[in-house]
Amino acid sequence: MDKPDKPEKCGAPLTCPIVRSVKLIGDEWVLLVLRALFRGAHRFDELQKQTGAATNILTNRLAKLVEGGLVAKSPYQERPVRFKYELSPAGVALFPVVLELMRWGDEWLPRDDAPPVRLLHTECGKLSRPGQQCSECGKPMTPKNVRLAEGDRTVSQAA
């Protein structure tokens, strides 16, 4: 394991919380796995479908997230053994970060072929822009009260 005062490749020591966080979640595949888990995927095949990751990449990233304490892995079938993956409390705590990445991407990386993301805030029943608070009622957005609105349909969970 790395020593706390040893500089990383970027030259910053692991005593910096940003360096520690980026080491764990600073990878596009990790963020896509987190997005899929927030959307309600729990099984490997669901995660693979939502992320588009190759089997080896998804296996590696899930192991990293389990080891990092963001995801819990538990068997749901014995023969053959198959696992489900669920966000731990530490993983759920990343929800505001994911919402802010969505907001930032909509604002600073707009695309003509991708309309801005809208989230259904179930507490007020209105569509909101991504962010930590509902853009309509101002109440906090949480994994339990947000649904991703895609066109005319609403997906089970957000992010």
Side-chain angles (χ1 to χ4, degrees), residues 40-89:
H42 297 290
R43 296 180 179 182
F44 190 91
D45 60 329
E46 297 169 334
L47 293 166
Q48 192 168 35
K49 183 178 178 183
Q50 285 195 33
T51 63
T55 302
N56 62 326
I57 291 173
L58 183 56
T59 299
N60 175 281
R61 294 330 187 269
L62 285 168
K64 182 178 183 177
L65 289 169
V66 169
E67 183 181 328
L70 297 180
V71 173
K73 175 182 175 181
S74 59
Y76 71 87
Q77 178 179 308
E78 289 187 28
R79 292 188 183 173
V81 177
R82 295 181 191 255
F83 298 93
K84 68 178 179 178
Y85 301 88
E86 296 179 295
L87 291 164
S88 69

Side-chain angles (χ1 to χ4, degrees), residues 7-147:
E8 284 297 295
K9 292 176 187 172
C10 65
L14 286 175
T15 54
C16 174
I18 293 175
V19 173
R20 292 191 310 270
S21 299
V22 168
K23 276 188 66 120
L24 182 56
I25 64 169
D27 173 288
E28 70 181 284
W29 294 113
V30 166
L31 291 170
L32 291 174
V33 170
L34 290 172
R35 181 188 69 175
L37 289 165
F38 279 119
R39 286 182 166 177
H42 297 290
R43 296 180 179 182
F44 190 91
D45 60 329
E46 297 169 334
L47 293 166
Q48 192 168 35
K49 183 178 178 183
Q50 285 195 33
T51 63
T55 302
N56 62 326
I57 291 173
L58 183 56
T59 299
N60 175 281
R61 294 330 187 269
L62 285 168
K64 182 178 183 177
L65 289 169
V66 169
E67 183 181 328
L70 297 180
V71 173
K73 175 182 175 181
S74 59
Y76 71 87
Q77 178 179 308
E78 289 187 28
R79 292 188 183 173
V81 177
R82 295 181 191 255
F83 298 93
K84 68 178 179 178
Y85 301 88
E86 296 179 295
L87 291 164
S88 69
V92 172
L94 284 170
F95 189 67
V97 174
V98 173
L99 287 177
E100 289 301 327
L101 282 171
M102 292 170 70
R103 183 197 58 73
W104 187 88
D106 271 352
E107 184 175 336
W108 294 100
L109 303 172
R111 290 187 52 121
D112 292 336
D113 61 345
V117 173
R118 292 294 175 254
L119 304 171
L120 176 65
H121 184 230
T122 60
E123 286 190 23
C124 70
K126 295 186 178 171
L127 292 178
S128 172
R129 292 184 305 278
Q132 293 183 52
Q133 288 84 32
C134 175
S135 59
E136 298 300 313
C137 73
K139 291 185 180 175
M141 304 264 267
T142 70
K144 293 182 180 181
N145 70 14
V146 173
R147 304 291 177 262

